Amino acid sequence: MPAKEHHRIFRSGWLRAAVLGANDGIVSTASLIAGVAAAGASHQAVLTSGLAGLVAGALSMAAGEYVSVRTQADTEAADLRLEQRALTGNSAQELQELADIYVGRGVAPALARQVAEQLTRHDALDAHARDELGILMHNRARPVQAALASAISFASGAALPLVTAVFTPVEQAVGVVTATSVASLALLGAMAAHAGGAPVLPAALRVTLLGAAAMLLTAGIGALFGVAV
């Protein structure tokens, strides 16, 4: 018997959201802390700015993800209502449309018609949603779940540089926070690549270099202007 296959495509949705949120949390909060510290701000001001960045970023991520996924959910619902009306008002044409989809995928016309009839009897809306619209009924958009996941992942990532700043003297904050954040980004990139079945080293390097560049540029701006912004 062949070995059981373990496909990773089913992880793509939550993995993308988790990596994006955590990566954004690390980079934006570490960059903010580095910029404010480089501007010569006090330790209290650095921590306050980092905490404000964590809260504001998590709420912004949650709001943005909710609006985005809510729009997707509304679009799916509108398409499903339209399809349901079409099934009710013109079932014969919809049946033929479904059969034509299977013919286009390489199924013989007679067999395609038989499959379409069986799936229509089982659940016509589900069949059309999946094969005509590309909507999986068991995996539809969930705005609240997406918003919570984004907020939690962002806050988790942002907590790393913030905790580092708590225990680091302000004079060393830029170097220490940047170094620990870069290491965290490398680990995050490697874990995400491993979970998704992608090459680990290129993914870790990509995330690390981009994140380090963002933090160093922000620190440079803070040092150049000498003000906490």
Side-chain angles (χ1 to χ4, degrees):
M1 294 294 290
K4 185 177 180 181
E5 296 178 331
H6 296 282
H7 296 290
R8 294 178 171 86
I9 189 64
F10 303 106
R11 303 174 181 176
S12 61
W14 65 261
L15 187 59
R16 179 200 64 82
V19 171
L20 175 63
N23 183 84
D24 195 13
I26 293 173
V27 173
S28 61
T29 306
S31 298
L32 179 60
I33 290 173
V36 174
S42 66
H43 192 242
Q44 184 64 35
V46 170
L47 296 183
T48 300
S49 65
L51 182 59
L54 185 155
V55 174
L59 293 177
S60 176
M61 285 285 291
E65 192 74 6
Y66 179 85
V67 171
S68 175
V69 179
R70 179 74 262 176
T71 301
Q72 178 186 345
D74 290 343
T75 302
E76 290 177 352
D79 277 347
L80 289 173
R81 288 194 298 269
L82 182 64
E83 193 63 30
Q84 184 63 67
R85 287 197 296 269
L87 287 168
T88 302
N90 201 344
S91 58
Q93 183 177 336
E94 290 297 313
L95 177 62
Q96 186 58 48
E97 186 177 23
L98 192 60
D100 290 342
I101 290 173
Y102 301 142
V103 171
R105 294 177 181 174
V107 181
L111 181 57
R113 180 76 180 193
Q114 183 181 0
V115 171
E117 289 173 349
Q118 291 183 357
L119 289 176
T120 298
R121 284 195 297 268
H122 175 69
D123 191 333
L125 182 59
D126 179 73
H128 282 268
R130 180 184 61 251
D131 295 320
E132 181 183 346
L133 304 176
I135 299 174
L136 300 178
M137 300 296 282
H138 65 277
N139 194 30
R140 293 178 59 187
R142 296 177 175 84
V144 175
Q145 183 184 67
L148 290 174
S150 294
I152 292 171
S153 61
F154 182 96
S156 299
L160 294 172
L162 183 57
V163 170
T164 301
V166 170
F167 298 101
T168 303
V170 68
E171 298 81 8
Q172 304 172 14
V174 175
V176 174
V177 169
T178 300
T180 55
S181 297
V182 165
S184 300
L185 287 172
L187 180 60
L188 176 65
M191 291 173 60
H194 177 72
V200 172
L201 185 58
L205 285 175
R206 181 170 58 246
V207 173
T208 301
L209 292 176
L210 292 174
M215 286 179 267
L216 291 175
L217 284 172
T218 308
I221 292 172
L224 178 64
F225 289 97
V227 292
V229 293

